[in-house]
Amino acid sequence: MKTLDPLTPQQLARAEELLLNPPPGSRIEAARKYGIDLTLLVEQLRLTPAQRALKLQAATQAVDQIRGIARRRC
Amino acid sequence: MQFDKALQSLCDADVDFVVVGDHARSSTRRLVSALTPFHPRPRGLADLPFIWDEATLRNSTVLTLQTDIGEIDLLAEVAGLGSFEDVKRHSITLEAYERKVATLDLPGLIQAKRAAGREKDLSIIPELESLLESGRD
């Protein structure tokens, strides 16, 4: 099974270039036109997989807390 | 949702599973043992009689559970990919929460999202395809 490792500086630079200056006709350009904020993807790619997992957990727990507050107020 | 506790418990019980987006599926006995401490029960059906054991797991293709550490969905197969073995072929290992965890690779996740066909699944596809095209799998 393949492993998902952190990006090398070269891989990150290439991905950033493509995401911030997408080639015409590419899927990345289509995503930007669709409304995707590609800078957020760059921000994610700068993190290691472990850091992304922790960020996901923090975001999910924040949403859970907001839901809890909302339920108590209803 | 406490992803860390859920994934650490599954890994420590030597459960064979693949994380699919934010869902997981695996083999039965170890899975029952790993999740028992978190009191799994059917989500939204609190009054329904429910026994968390291997028989329940074997007789279900989809279980949507509420646990003490959050919501966990268990899937016997994934639309667009197929059985657990098919899903494993589309998986990739990463290190998270101090464990090695198998999760769907990007092409597999895109395939599954497209097959699911719900608005919330389809709307994420341009983002996933951008990641794929930028060279990250």
Side-chain angles (χ1 to χ4, degrees), chain A residues 22-71:
Chain A
S26 65
R27 290 185 184 277
I28 300 174
E29 187 194 49
R32 186 162 72 180
K33 286 180 179 169
Y34 180 73
I36 304 293
D37 183 350
L38 297 170
T39 63
L40 296 178
L41 295 187
V42 173
E43 192 180 306
Q44 283 290 101
L45 290 178
R46 288 178 181 153
L47 303 175
T48 65
Q51 288 169 327
R52 285 178 224 160
L54 288 174
K55 192 175 170 185
L56 171 67
Q57 170 140 335
T60 308
Q61 286 178 342
V63 170
D64 285 346
Q65 283 175 353
I66 292 166
R67 278 189 187 145
I69 292 167
R71 277 196 204 104

Side-chain angles (χ1 to χ4, degrees), chain B residues 7 26 31 37 59 62 71 75 87-88 93 95 99 108 124 128:
Chain B
L7 294 178
S26 150
L31 178 55
N59 293 327
V62 178
E71 297 176 353
L75 315 171
V87 171
K88 279 184 80 172
T93 304
E95 198 164 322
R99 304 289 188 281
I124 196 80
L128 298 175

Side-chain angles (χ1 to χ4, degrees), chain A residues 2 4-5 28 53 57 64, chain B residues 1 4 93 97 133 136-137:
Chain A
K2 286 192 295 181
L4 182 64
D5 298 314
I28 300 174
Q57 170 140 335
D64 285 346
Chain B
M1 177 69 202
D4 53 347
T93 304
Y97 312 117
E133 201 172 61
R136 191 59 183 148
D137 189 358

Side-chain angles (χ1 to χ4, degrees), chain B residues 2-4 16 25 37 39 43 49 54 58 64 66 76 79 82 89 91 125 128 132:
Chain B
Q2 298 177 50
F3 292 114
D4 53 347
D16 191 17
R25 171 62 180 168
H39 308 105
R43 194 182 315 148
E54 288 179 60
R58 272 199 303 272
T64 56
Q66 182 68 49
R89 276 194 286 278
S91 67
I125 289 177
L128 298 175
L132 191 59

